[in-house]
Amino acid sequence: MASSYPVDPRRPDAAYLSFWRERHLCTLTTLRPDGSPHVVPVGVTYDPEAGLARVIANKSSAKVGHVLAAGPDGVRVAACQVDGRRWATLEGRATVSVDPGRITEAERRYTERYGREPSPNPSRVVIEIELASALGRG
């Protein structure tokens, strides 16, 4: 990533994909009912083949509540990571899944990216972001 540019989230270049495979804390931005942004630190995994980003979360968290409040069609969100002057953002429509298979896949990808298994959580859900766009600067 040499400069700021749009990226096809399903066909990222090697540098963009590599950056998303490095271990970085990310942020997830959702909108509160009053329209103000809610930005929280999260772990994000990026799956360009499926066109998804995933965030594991507790079903009682505010971020999950914001996504659920939008209804079954989901809501636009942004996930971002920064490392010095490098940054990358994934944008799309988020929905919440309680499907055990989807949660297990999200946990597997989290373990792969972050090098540790997430703590057991019977209240875990996965926020799945159907990717619409991506940006970055290297």
Side-chain angles (χ1 to χ4, degrees):
M1 295 185 306
S3 61
S4 180
Y5 62 95
V7 174
D8 179 343
R10 288 185 167 268
R11 292 185 179 84
D13 63 38
Y16 193 83
L17 185 57
S18 176
F19 186 43
W20 275 103
R21 290 190 170 148
E22 294 172 12
R23 187 182 192 282
H24 294 288
L25 187 61
C26 303
T27 61
L28 178 69
T29 302
T30 59
L31 297 178
R32 295 180 181 100
D34 68 1
S36 63
H38 177 255
V39 184
V40 293
V42 294
V44 176
T45 62
Y46 175 32
D47 181 357
E49 294 81 17
L52 291 175
R54 296 177 179 92
V55 177
I56 56 175
N58 191 302
K59 67 181 175 185
S60 65
S61 68
K63 61 188 165 284
V64 169
H66 298 153
V67 174
L68 290 173
D73 292 335
V75 65
R76 296 277 306 193
V77 301
C80 185
Q81 66 180 19
V82 177
D83 181 36
R85 294 179 51 92
R86 296 185 307 157
W87 61 269
T89 300
L90 298 169
E91 299 176 339
R93 187 159 298 280
T95 56
V96 174
S97 178
V98 297
D99 177 87
R102 290 179 177 274
I103 293 168
T104 298
E105 178 63 10
E107 291 170 334
R108 182 190 71 75
R109 289 175 177 277
Y110 179 95
T111 300
E112 184 177 279
R113 180 172 190 199
Y114 291 99
R116 68 173 186 83
E117 288 187 33
S119 301
N121 181 352
S123 297
R124 179 165 290 134
V125 297
V126 59
I127 298 172
E128 293 181 325
I129 305 166
E130 184 179 341
L131 299 173
S133 60
L135 300 168
R137 178 183 176 119

